[in-house]
Amino acid sequence: MSEPVGESAAAGAVHVRAPGKINLVLKVGPVSEDGYHPLATVFQAVSLYEDVIATPAEEIEISVTGRQARQVPTDESNLAHRAAALLAEATGISRGVHLQITKNVPTAGGMGGGSADAAAALLACDLLWETGLAREELGHLAAELGADVPFALTGQTALGRGRGDELTPALARGRFHWVLALSEEGLSTPEVFAAWDALPAAGPEDVPAPLEVGEDVMQALVSGDPHRLAGVLVNDLAAAAEQLRPAVGTMLADAVDVGALAAVVSGSGPTVAALAPDHAAALEIAGALRAKQCADEVLVVTSPAPGARLVEPVRESS
Ligand code: C5P
């Protein structure tokens, strides 16, 4: 069978990389009839990436290596599998793909690792199958896959409204340095939202309206000053995550004890992101957190980071 070659990567493989994220601000409103909670959030992509290599195959197939790979399903429930199936259906393409996922972002960690896989799979299949969808069209498909998937496509810094999938790019200056405290065992996002619903002090009646990200947050981002950013970090889901996993509270307190400017739960947790004044301090904070053994793994990352992008087309030699 002859495949088009040349500029196309259709005959070979496509390598796409998509970032994990942290939520600098996450405000939650009372659950809607569709089971989702309205959010006002600020996403920032971090320098921790999922790699997806797409190669031609008869069916849609998934293999997974890397961090916590054994916890990730390889059947149709995998979000990358669903992404490929959705793109095929939406474009009327009847081709298969093998998606080789290398995980770096923690699984069920509140950092959008599965969403990054889905975003990377969408872009990789779009390139491999030459479906040529515009980014905007990929964004619509991404939103069907999950609330965090559109952000993994766009990366950088964005305000998220609605379920978190209605994005507006936000201006941010400079580079922020973070220490991530990871947990081997993840938390279920629906369970954390359900625990939030049941919290007496943060239940639906007590949520202040309107749900919005304040001007102080936008100014802190534009300033590029980590001290200012530290003053605005907030996550309404933190108490629920702590209730389900008390170690989250320990990680938050320990991070500040060892010199972080502030620490915040990412998404629905249990990952804790501790903000450092600079890179050298981040390395010191990471060392001190490792010594405290409060987290299963401690990483140093920076933000913001780019969204899903082609790393290199792997071409067959001619
Ligand atoms: O969209 P996604 O599949 O990532 O969401 C997983 C679950 O998290 C939803 O089924 C819902 O229970 C909860 N969720 C929510 N409100 C949001 C996003 C997610 O309640 N804005």
Side-chain angles (χ1 to χ4, degrees):
M1 195 175 83
S2 69
E3 292 275 0
V5 248
E7 285 315 293
S8 155
V14 176
H15 180 180
V16 172
R17 179 168 288 170
K21 57 81 183 171
I22 54 180
N23 300 79
L24 307 179
V25 170
L26 179 53
K27 295 188 174 181
V28 181
V31 66
S32 308
E33 278 176 12
D34 62 6
Y36 277 80
H37 294 72
L39 304 179
T41 190
V42 178
F43 293 108
Q44 196 160 55
V46 298
S47 59
L48 197 59
Y49 303 99
E50 300 286 272
D51 282 292
V52 173
I53 296 178
T55 45
E58 293 294 316
E59 309 282 335
I60 298 173
E61 302 162 359
I62 306 277
S63 55
V64 184
T65 56
R67 176 171 284 120
Q68 296 169 305
R70 273 173 299 160
Q71 298 181 26
V72 180
T74 55
D75 61 12
E76 309 83 63
S77 68
N78 186 297
L79 209 51
H81 192 294
R82 287 171 46 202
L86 181 65
L87 180 68
E89 189 196 321
T91 56
I93 290 258
S94 56
R95 287 169 65 175
V97 62
H98 180 93
L99 296 169
Q100 165 68 51
I101 301 171
T102 304
K103 295 201 65 66
N104 272 304
V105 180
T107 299
M111 290 189 61
S115 300
D117 296 342
L122 274 180
L123 184 57
C125 290
D126 179 56
L127 294 168
L128 185 75
W129 296 338
E130 300 183 294
T131 38
L133 293 193
R135 279 266 170 169
E136 196 187 347
E137 294 170 300
L138 289 177
H140 291 312
L141 295 181
E144 284 187 45
L145 292 163
D148 290 343
V149 184
F151 179 72
L153 270 182
T154 59
Q156 304 297 353
T157 309
L159 290 175
R161 305 300 299 260
R163 297 174 168 192
D165 56 343
E166 295 165 20
L167 299 178
T168 314
L171 215 57
R173 190 167 291 145
R175 183 173 296 270
F176 297 106
H177 299 270
W178 300 90
V179 180
L180 301 177
L182 272 50
S183 304
E184 183 61 23
E185 195 188 340
L187 277 174
S188 148
T189 300
E191 280 177 27
V192 174
F193 275 104
W196 182 85
D197 288 336
L199 281 179
E205 302 81 21
D206 303 302
V207 172
L211 200 60
E212 60 187 17
V213 172
E215 192 52 38
D216 53 341
V217 177
M218 310 319 291
Q219 285 173 4
L221 283 168
V222 168
S223 77
D225 178 356
H227 296 86
R228 283 184 72 176
L229 188 65
V232 299
L233 297 177
V234 65
N235 184 339
D236 283 353
L237 292 176
E242 272 187 66
Q243 191 183 65
L244 294 174
R245 183 71 56 75
V248 167
T250 312
M251 292 190 285
L252 287 169
D254 282 355
V256 174
D257 274 357
V258 301
L261 300 174
V264 68
V265 175
S266 182
S268 54
T271 304
V272 164
L275 182 59
D278 54 39
H279 180 61
L283 294 177
E284 273 180 34
I285 291 165
L289 277 184
R290 286 187 190 109
K292 280 186 175 273
Q293 298 187 331
C294 59
D296 292 321
E297 198 175 356
V298 176
L299 302 174
V300 172
V301 298
T302 60
S303 68
R309 67 194 193 281
L310 184 66
V311 175
E312 60 189 30
V314 185
R315 293 170 199 279
E316 288 175 347
S317 54
S318 50

